[in-house]
Amino acid sequence: MPQPEKILYTGKTHTTGGREGASRSSDDKLNVKLTSPGSSGTGTNPEQLFAAGWSACFIGAMGIAAGKMNIKLPAETAVDTEVDLAVTAGEYSLQARLNISLPGLEPEVAKAIAAEAHKTCPYSKATRGNINVEITIL
């Protein structure tokens, strides 16, 4: 694995209690209670946090891809990401669906932007070959 040329940012969190605990960032901008998926707890769960981070990163990657194509992303651009916690071959696993809305763009243009973003988004790179990922243009 090649070493990075430059570190742009390091996200730091401190988590206690696992899925029934809490997590906060070193700058206190993130401070959340954690709860297991499907429970009646009042917190969020790791799958939701992963989905939110991936959605935000993917929109940024689509902006870069669109810019290279001299296209402006619509103001209403959205990504609805679904991350499943599953059991595969008796072990816990993840799978994901990214449902992309690029209103006003031709379907082929939207597909090209999403495909390029999926190649460059750091979350997509981190999961490539490790989990099933479906990308749908809405």
Side-chain angles (χ1 to χ4, degrees):
M1 178 75 46
Q3 291 296 312
E5 297 164 18
K6 180 180 181 181
I7 302 295
L8 300 175
Y9 175 77
T10 300
K12 297 178 184 179
T13 62
H14 178 77
T15 303
T16 57
R19 288 182 175 271
E20 299 300 328
S23 188
R24 75 173 195 283
S25 61
S26 59
D27 62 5
D28 267 337
K29 291 183 179 183
L30 175 74
N31 193 342
V32 295
K33 287 184 180 181
L34 300 171
T35 274
S36 293
S39 75
S40 60
T42 59
T44 189
N45 62 63
E47 291 72 26
Q48 290 169 323
L49 293 168
F50 188 67
W54 197 348
S55 296
C57 185
F58 202 87
I59 289 172
M62 287 195 303
I64 292 168
K68 289 179 180 176
M69 298 175 190
N70 293 317
I71 297 169
K72 185 173 178 1
L73 283 185
E76 304 83 17
T77 294
V79 177
D80 295 320
T81 300
E82 301 170 353
V83 174
D84 298 326
L85 175 62
V87 175
T88 305
E91 296 182 1
Y92 290 111
S93 64
L94 298 175
Q95 65 181 24
R97 291 169 301 286
L98 282 73
N99 301 299
I100 299 163
S101 177
L102 293 167
L105 295 184
E106 293 295 323
E108 291 307 313
V109 172
K111 286 179 186 176
I113 290 170
E116 182 62 23
H118 193 48
K119 289 180 190 173
T120 61
C121 171
Y123 280 73
S124 293
K125 287 179 179 182
T127 60
R128 187 167 292 118
N130 297 312
I131 68 170
N132 292 327
V133 178
E134 292 178 23
I135 296 180
T136 303
I137 306 297
L138 303 176

